[in-house]
Amino acid sequence: MKAVKALLLFLFCYSISSGQNSIAPKAKSASITKSKVAITTDGVLDEPAWLEAEVLGDFHQQFPFDTSLAKSKTEVRILFDEYHIHISAVCYDNIEGDYVIRSLRRDFDPTLSDAFRVVIDPFNDNNNGFVFGVNPLNAQYEALIANGGTFGAGSEWDNKWFSAVKRESDRWTVEMAIPYNSIRFIPGNTQWRMNFIRQDLKRNELSVWNFVPRNFNSVSLAFTAAITWPEPPPRNGKNFAVIPYVAGEANRNFANNTNTKSRLNVGGDAKIGVSSSLNLDLTVNPDFSQADVDRQVTNLTRFSIFFPERRQFFLENSDLFAQFGFSQIRPFFSRRIGLENGNRIPIQFGARLSGKVNRNWRIGVLNVQTAQDTALNADAENFSVLCFQRQLKGRSYLGGIFVNRQTTESNTNSAAFNRVAGLDYRLASRNGRWNGIAFFHKSFTQNVTAKDDYAHATFLRYDDANWSLMWNHEYVGDNYRAASGFVPRQEQFNSVTNEVFRQSYWRLEPEIEKRWYPKSSLINNFSQKIYTSWYADSLFRTTEGVYIFTNEINFQNTARIGLNLSSYFTRLLYPIDITYTGAQPLDPGNYTYRDISLYGRSDVRRLLTGSFVVSQGSFYTGTKKSLQLAASYRWQPWGTFGINYSGDVLSLPTLDVNGEPTDFQTTLNLIGPQADISFSRQLFFSTIAQYATQNNNVNFYARLQWRFRPMSDLFIVYSDNYESSNFAPKNRALVLKLVWWFNT
């Protein structure tokens, strides 16, 4: 503990004295021009209003350096009229060769494609906003920004907006029209914040209009510039959308020798703009068959895997509900609703009110009712959430949440409930260097009256161009329950009752990283990092520890290579087969093991790209060799074809049937070819096949999506699962779903 305290003291003292090498240019500002005539979104800036608009130029480089103006010239203009914000960008290009474009699919990865993006903070709070972008072939991208954009933006969100691109020999011109109905903003507020981002992979340059230091995400709202309206933005007026669906499904479970079953579902959502900043979402009998399939992973830990939410109903303002606590300690996790052990539980109805009341207050109310399913032994339950955020000084805020999960109809006539209440404080400095979280949550569970039913944690991070310093602590009590959330657990085995019960844990997670930026045409930066994740029980006895020393080199051409030296400590509290393949369980006790790993990736701008991780070392009482490979070929711009492989060779000493010492050896393979094809900007096809030996499963998934009008889609989804040992079929399903978006 003395070493940990000394390290933490060093982190704090150094963070106070440390600073950035370069001085940021003065923040920019601009004004929006009102157009008196209609603007046609065609990629041609021939309306007189464009000639009158202020020209925003002089972009700054963010990559490969942040100390000079951009080499790729970009000019931006902003207009508004009664219904839309209009944004244009002229992206000059004087380098011969084709653009770098991975896909025509909506929500392409803008970091792997030539693209222009606009970052909008209509609340002027530097915390919440939107991103809209296009590539040179007019594929669209939109995303939500939460927590200031420190960790990027979430592209799962979709909404209706319009764009056009005109390509010429020395430039490509973007024109966007974003309806007021598609974003949220505070009425009467005449100052928004914006930034503009140009990705030019042909030149290998990322540039921004308002300066963003290279150690920050380019969408960070801390570095947006003030944009002034000559008058308040027009109110949304009637903002109402109805999104009905009809879905047909046929499936067969071969494991139970059941015949093919079919069903027809009809339901839908409604989106009602209560105000320009507050939205009401309603759903009746929702169906989520178009959701992306979860990828299989090889799990050699003692904890469950956290899969992110992908369902559309839960996405807008999702951070307001879902980001209380930490990534692994969530009082509310929306995948608990309507999904249980991979099976879908019918959702009867749901409602959600969320958004800004004013600049300082943000609220969320959610209520969802699920139906009883006797076949899955699932009770009917009601999920309710109340939460708020109160803006404080700078970009920081205080948040509060109350979550209730209540049984409303049960096979056992029980009326179980679980409730969690808590407060979160989030620190975010104006310059983006300091970020932190502190929270305290308490649970209330039926028939659980013992104490220690709470969780608390703190997180603090300092980041500048040369240093990154992080501290984290967590505590989860014995009786803390988050039935609507997600909590990893230490567990203990009672050999008398053969029961596994939960145990409280402490976690400390300090990290320190130093970066160097040499004057080199080959290397952009290299870094060294020390990372520790230490778990202990309530008496501070170590139960698990991970200690990693990393050396990494990032090249100017976007390639990367690194080396990890890792040491692990694990105290097993009960016998466990750590391979999950039928091996002899390891005895309870303390285990220390180490490994070394080399990882890297190639230049992401190339048509053929790849990455690898290779590691070797001890593993509990034996050894482990691991290899991860990924390769992808871009058939520009129509498709991307790739394959992923993960392999682990485990050798553990054990006893044979005669009690003689021997080695248990197993190889865990996970291989998955995949393809993502864009026939046009409206017709997409994606498929993936995965062969996994750990869970004895081969799955095939294919989805065809036709976006026949904005936000309206036809989906055809096919999935198939087999035993990997003999390829015997497990289950098979075919889904057709039509979604139609009607709005005012």
Side-chain angles (χ1 to χ4, degrees), residues 4 16 97 125 193 213 251 286 379 434 455 516 522 643 655 663 673 685:
V4 173
I16 295 296
D125 64 1
R193 305 193 69 84
N251 64 77
D379 296 336
W434 289 95
W516 291 267
L522 177 65
I643 187 168
L655 299 177
D663 281 339
F685 175 77

Side-chain angles (χ1 to χ4, degrees), residues 520-554:
S520 169
S521 60
L522 177 65
I523 297 175
N524 181 270
N525 69 82
F526 61 92
S527 63
Q528 291 184 328
K529 179 169 65 177
I530 299 175
Y531 169 81
T532 298
S533 178
W534 176 80
Y535 284 90
D537 61 19
S538 58
L539 299 178
F540 281 94
R541 295 174 298 189
T542 302
T543 59
E544 183 173 326
V546 179
Y547 314 94
I548 303 175
F549 176 62
T550 299
N551 291 271
E552 183 175 282
I553 301 175
N554 289 283

Side-chain angles (χ1 to χ4, degrees), residues 228-531:
T228 303
W229 295 71
E231 59 188 60
R235 282 183 170 271
N236 290 20
K238 293 183 179 180
N239 185 1
F240 182 80
V242 178
I243 315 165
Y245 81 88
V246 57
E249 179 178 354
N251 64 77
R252 182 177 180 183
N253 190 327
F254 292 90
N256 297 332
N257 294 317
T258 58
N259 295 324
T260 300
K261 296 181 179 180
S262 60
R263 65 176 182 174
L264 181 68
N265 277 350
V266 178
D269 299 339
K271 299 177 76 69
I272 304 170
V274 178
S275 71
S276 58
S277 60
L278 200 61
N279 196 69
L280 175 65
D281 291 279
L282 304 173
T283 187
V284 176
N285 191 31
D287 182 271
F288 305 116
S289 9
Q290 87 276 20
D292 287 337
V293 66
D294 288 328
R295 304 295 175 88
Q296 297 186 82
V297 295
T298 299
N299 185 9
L300 293 176
T301 74
R302 293 168 295 139
F303 305 108
S304 57
I305 301 297
F306 181 93
F307 288 105
E309 178 62 83
R310 300 178 186 273
R311 297 174 295 179
Q312 193 62 226
F313 172 74
F314 295 100
L315 292 179
E316 184 168 351
N317 286 315
S318 61
D319 68 291
L320 180 59
F321 297 92
Q323 292 196 19
F324 280 87
F326 282 178
S327 60
Q328 299 295 305
I329 308 176
R330 296 289 190 206
F332 176 70
F333 178 42
S334 58
R335 281 179 66 108
R336 296 293 188 206
I337 304 177
L339 291 170
E340 190 70 34
N341 297 322
N343 297 307
R344 283 183 291 168
I345 308 299
I347 295 178
Q348 294 178 323
F349 60 83
R352 188 178 59 157
L353 178 69
S354 62
K356 284 269 193 178
V357 177
N358 53 43
R359 184 186 184 278
N360 293 324
W361 286 95
R362 193 174 179 220
I363 64 168
V365 181
L366 179 145
N367 185 270
V368 177
Q369 178 68 44
T370 65
Q372 187 179 27
D373 192 319
T374 55
L376 296 175
N377 196 29
D379 296 336
E381 295 181 299
N382 183 266
F383 296 79
S384 299
V385 183
L386 300 172
C387 56
F388 73 86
Q389 288 180 3
R390 173 63 165 88
Q391 189 87 11
L392 302 176
K393 184 178 180 180
R395 300 167 55 230
S396 304
Y397 64 82
L398 179 69
I401 188 169
F402 176 77
V403 183
N404 181 54
R405 181 172 180 173
Q406 180 103 29
T407 301
T408 56
E409 185 178 0
S410 172
N411 295 324
T412 59
N413 295 318
S414 64
F417 68 82
N418 172 258
R419 295 159 187 157
V420 176
L423 289 174
D424 287 40
Y425 169 72
R426 290 189 176 257
L427 168 70
S429 65
R430 289 191 182 276
N431 62 8
R433 297 182 187 179
W434 289 95
N435 286 277
I437 305 170
F439 73 80
F440 181 88
H441 297 162
K442 180 178 173 59
S443 66
F444 309 85
T445 306
Q446 184 162 316
N447 299 325
V448 177
T449 58
K451 297 180 180 180
D452 204 18
D453 54 358
Y454 55 85
H456 56 75
T458 57
F459 165 83
L460 184 63
R461 187 181 190 92
Y462 177 85
D463 205 346
D464 67 24
N466 301 109
W467 288 91
S468 178
L469 312 167
M470 186 267 285
W471 156 261
N472 174 43
H473 105 268
E474 302 170 11
Y475 177 78
V476 175
D478 279 338
N479 297 298
Y480 177 73
R481 305 285 190 270
S484 302
F486 183 90
V487 182
R489 289 283 183 183
Q490 301 285 322
E491 296 177 337
Q492 192 167 352
F493 181 72
N494 187 324
S495 58
V496 177
T497 62
N498 291 323
E499 293 178 337
V500 174
F501 63 92
R502 297 163 174 168
Q503 183 188 36
S504 62
Y505 74 84
W506 285 91
R507 184 191 188 195
L508 301 181
E509 189 188 18
E511 178 186 276
I512 180 170
E513 180 180 10
K514 177 69 170 71
R515 293 182 289 264
W516 291 267
Y517 294 88
K519 294 181 179 180
S520 169
S521 60
L522 177 65
I523 297 175
N524 181 270
N525 69 82
F526 61 92
S527 63
Q528 291 184 328
K529 179 169 65 177
I530 299 175
Y531 169 81

Side-chain angles (χ1 to χ4, degrees), residues 144-217:
L144 292 176
I145 299 177
N147 295 319
T150 303
F151 304 105
S155 62
E156 297 86 0
W157 173 73
D158 278 338
N159 220 314
K160 183 183 291 188
W161 59 288
F162 310 95
S163 65
V165 171
K166 177 73 172 179
R167 295 183 302 279
E168 301 178 53
S169 60
D170 64 340
R171 73 193 69 183
W172 54 286
T173 302
V174 180
E175 199 171 355
M176 299 178 178
I178 303 171
Y180 301 118
N181 287 352
S182 295
I183 59 176
R184 311 289 171 244
F185 60 91
I186 298 173
N189 183 15
T190 57
Q191 182 170 292
W192 291 13
R193 305 193 69 84
M194 291 187 185
N195 206 355
F196 309 98
I197 305 168
R198 166 86 181 278
Q199 178 92 334
D200 187 351
L201 288 177
K202 197 164 37 167
R203 190 185 290 276
N204 195 26
E205 179 181 75
L206 177 66
S207 59
V208 290
W209 174 61
N210 197 53
F211 176 76
V212 181
R214 57 185 164 187
N215 55 296
F216 291 99
N217 197 297

Side-chain angles (χ1 to χ4, degrees), residues 52-65:
E52 299 170 3
E54 181 180 357
V55 179
L56 312 182
D58 294 333
F59 275 50
H60 293 273
Q61 243 187 37
Q62 197 203 20
F63 180 88
F65 307 106

Side-chain angles (χ1 to χ4, degrees), residues 112-157:
L112 300 177
S113 174
D114 287 342
F116 170 80
R117 286 175 285 168
V118 54
V119 177
I120 304 177
D121 172 10
F123 308 112
N124 197 26
D125 64 1
N126 298 114
N127 270 321
N128 300 280
F130 307 87
V131 184
F132 297 90
V134 297
N135 67 20
L137 295 183
N138 198 32
Q140 292 183 334
Y141 164 90
E142 68 271 278
L144 292 176
I145 299 177
N147 295 319
T150 303
F151 304 105
S155 62
E156 297 86 0
W157 173 73

